[in-house]
Structure formats: C-alpha cells, structure tokens
Amino acid sequence: MQTNADMPHGFSETTVSGMPKKNKRKKSTLKRRENLIALAFISIKYFGLLVFTVLPVVFAVLYSFTDYNARLETEPFLTRISVLWCGFENYKKIFTSLTYGQAFLNAVTNNLIFLLSVPLGIIFGLVVAVMLSREKLIRGSRVIRMLIYIPVVSSAVAMNIIWRYMFDNQYGIINQITGWNIQWLTDATWIKVAIIIKSAWGSIGRTMILCLAALTNVGRDYYEAAELDGAGEVTKFFKISIPLISPTLFYLFCTGFIGNLQAYVDAQVFAEGHPGAQTIVFFIWDYGIRNSRYGIASAASFVLTISIMLITLLQFKISSKWVYSE
C-alpha cells in the first residue's frame, strides 16, 4: 500500500483498495472558480437586460405619474427640467384633454384600422405558400420565394421611401398606370388604404415562408385518406391543411398584431406625420421626444403595453377553439 509521501501531487489519501482519492478541498476551490468565471460571462447579458430594459420600464412607469417636462432655455446647452408628482392626471389627459386626448384617440383609431393589414397579409401569404408548395404549378419556385421574401429582410425606411414614390399623388406609379387621380398621401382616408396595402404586401413574404414550412410538414397520409373518401382540393385545404398549420397561423396573428400596434416608420417616413396615419408610437415620439412631455409619453407607453398584453392574452384564450394541438 502506498504511503502519503508516495502519492501523486493533488491526492491526500488512499482508499482501502490502494487507489488514490482526490483532495475535496482543492476540487471545491476549482469548482468555485469555474462558477465565478461562468457567472462573470452570464452577468454581462443580465447587466444589459437590467440597464436597457428593466430600469427604463420602471422609470417610464414612474414618469407616467409625474408632470415631467424638459424645456430648452434660450442659452445654449441649458435645459430646465421640472418633475412634479401628478398621480393619474396624465392618464386622464390622454383620454379627455382637448390638447392630448384628441390626438391620442386619433392614434388609437388609426392603429385599429391598420390592424386590417394583418389578416390580409396572412391570407395572401397563405395562398402564395399553397401555390409554391406544388412544384407542378409553378416552375422556379425557389427564385420566386427569394423575390417575395426580399422585402422582409430589407430596411423598413428604404421600403417606406420606395412605397411613398409609388403612391405619390402626381408622379406615383400607381396613379400613372391606372390613370387615377387619388390623393394617396394627403387624404386622411386614402393614406390609411395605402398603408394597409403596403403593410399587407410587406408581410406576405414572412407568412409565405412560415406557412410553406408548415405545409411541408403535413403528412401525405392525411391527404391520401381524404382522397379515398372522395374529398376535393378545397375540402382538403380547409379540413386538413388549415387545422394542421393553425399553430403557425396563430403565431402569425399574435406577432402581426403586436408589430402593427408598435408601428412607427409608416407614420414618420411614409406619411411624414400626416394626422390620418399617426399611430400610438408616433404619438409617444411626438410628445415625448419632440415636445419633451415625458410624463404624457410615458402614460401613453404604459397604456400601449397593457393593451398589447390584453390583446395577446385574449388571443391565447380563444386559441383553444381553433388552434390544433396534439
């Protein structure tokens, strides 16, 4: 049997069988050092989450209960800041005040109208996905998929500028080709129609890719069994395809509604701040960043956050009635 003097470095004692046994103290020290190194790497992510997400949310909620107003003075680089606790006054103002209430309710109405682009984009994207899933109908479907998906990965600002040129009242391609004289960018109603068309078209690529992947995963056994029962193409689509890809459609509806409620570029770049296209986020930017009414902007932000949460919870609540689950 080995003695302690004959043991290799790092071992403190021997077992009965003569095999060396590791030093528990040294092992625990090494383990503690590894845990600290791992914690140091992980803490970077959580530090960013705390600084750039959690704290801004906390301060936004606190500011929504204050009359936080930053006013630039005549002297350069001098800002006068006043923060007064006002309770729920900001929330009352965005719904009832003549100054803020009308603008906020107009933004809410525009947002609700723009939500029409979500089902339209999903319907057209699903139709394109069904057509592209059948190689016999369309040749070169891979190239078509790429062309349809390009707007999804393109810059939102660049796409809005291109669409603005297309919808231009005098020189736009749409009016030039059709011979119409529609005031797309100046009329409060037509600018909503233009944004709905633009948003629906821009979401076709994303819907097409996801629905195409979902349709590819549907087993052929379902269709073969339906064909034996005499089911046609329309019946197979509505009775087999739609139910089996309903989880993907549910995801598209949820993310589509959330994205549209947070829309900002359409109002700022495409509509250039036209009242008929102003959204809630544009209202937040207008009064928060441009006019330094941070209390009003924070209250509107909190209302928007709660609205998104309630709409999403409602979608999950009713999803059990139409979303397929194994």
Side-chain angles (χ1 to χ4, degrees):
M1 181 178 293
Q2 293 180 331
T3 62
N4 291 340
D6 299 330
M7 291 180 184
H9 181 69
F11 296 88
S12 59
E13 59 181 2
T14 58
T15 59
V16 177
S17 59
M19 296 299 295
K21 187 176 181 180
K22 291 185 177 181
N23 190 323
K24 294 182 179 180
R25 183 177 180 182
K26 188 171 184 178
K27 182 179 179 180
S28 62
T29 304
L30 180 61
K31 188 68 175 178
R32 193 181 303 110
R33 185 183 303 171
E34 291 177 351
N35 292 338
L36 290 176
I37 294 174
L39 183 62
F41 281 104
I42 296 174
S43 63
I44 298 174
K45 178 180 179 180
Y46 287 101
F47 177 78
L49 178 66
L50 176 66
V51 173
F52 298 107
T53 303
V54 177
L55 289 181
V57 170
V58 173
F59 281 112
V61 174
L62 293 176
Y63 288 156
S64 68
F65 296 101
T66 64
D67 184 15
Y68 184 9
N69 183 21
R71 299 185 300 274
L72 294 176
E73 300 294 337
T74 55
E75 298 181 18
F77 307 108
L78 181 61
T79 303
R80 185 176 181 180
I81 300 176
S82 63
V83 182
L84 300 174
W85 186 265
C86 64
F88 290 93
E89 285 298 319
N90 290 327
Y91 294 94
K92 294 179 181 178
K93 288 179 180 179
I94 62 176
F95 288 108
T96 60
S97 173
L98 293 177
T99 306
Y100 309 108
Q102 186 175 359
F104 183 74
L105 293 178
N106 176 60
V108 172
T109 303
N110 292 338
N111 259 128
L112 294 177
I113 294 174
F114 295 153
L115 289 179
L116 292 174
S117 64
V118 177
L120 289 177
I122 292 176
I123 291 172
F124 287 114
L126 179 59
V127 171
V128 173
V130 172
M131 295 176 65
L132 293 177
S133 64
R134 303 180 180 183
E135 297 286 348
K136 297 180 180 179
L137 292 178
I138 300 178
R139 294 182 179 181
S141 61
R142 294 183 179 179
V143 177
I144 297 175
R145 294 176 200 174
M146 180 189 68
L147 294 176
I148 295 176
Y149 192 73
I150 284 178
V152 180
V153 296
S154 301
S155 169
V157 174
M159 296 305 299
N160 274 275
I161 293 175
I162 293 173
W163 275 102
R164 182 171 176 83
Y165 282 119
M166 293 177 63
F167 279 106
D168 186 78
N169 297 337
Q170 185 175 0
Y171 303 105
I173 297 175
I174 296 177
N175 281 353
Q176 291 292 329
I177 293 177
T178 60
W180 298 338
N181 189 26
I182 298 177
Q183 304 299 306
W184 294 102
L185 302 179
T186 54
D187 185 79
T189 301
W190 284 111
I191 198 169
K192 292 182 178 64
V193 176
I195 290 178
I196 291 174
I197 294 173
K198 179 188 70 65
S199 300
W201 179 86
S203 63
I204 287 177
R206 178 169 170 267
T207 303
M208 178 264 300
I209 288 294
L210 294 177
C211 288
L212 189 60
L215 289 169
T216 305
N217 289 329
V218 176
R220 297 299 308 171
D221 298 340
Y222 297 103
Y223 298 110
E224 293 174 358
E227 290 173 358
L228 293 176
D229 292 336
E233 293 296 328
V234 177
T235 303
K236 289 190 293 184
F237 177 74
F238 285 101
K239 298 296 183 180
I240 298 176
S241 300
I242 294 296
L244 291 180
I245 68 171
S246 57
T248 302
L249 297 177
F250 172 68
Y251 169 78
L252 290 170
F253 271 109
C254 284
T255 55
F257 279 118
I258 293 173
N260 272 262
L261 289 173
Q262 296 177 338
Y264 167 75
V265 181
D266 296 344
Q268 180 65 277
V269 180
F270 178 79
E272 293 185 345
H274 191 282
Q278 292 180 4
T279 59
I280 300 176
V281 176
F282 182 88
F283 174 90
I284 295 170
W285 170 84
D286 187 20
Y287 285 95
I289 304 300
R290 188 161 67 175
N291 295 310
S292 301
R293 303 294 301 185
Y294 298 109
I296 294 291
S298 298
S301 302
F302 191 65
V303 170
L304 176 61
T305 303
I306 297 299
S307 301
I308 291 175
M309 292 175 61
L310 292 176
I311 292 174
T312 305
L313 290 174
L314 179 62
Q315 288 179 314
F316 273 94
K317 187 70 175 178
I318 64 177
S319 64
S320 58
K321 298 181 179 180
W322 67 278
V323 177
Y324 171 79
S325 59
E326 297 181 357

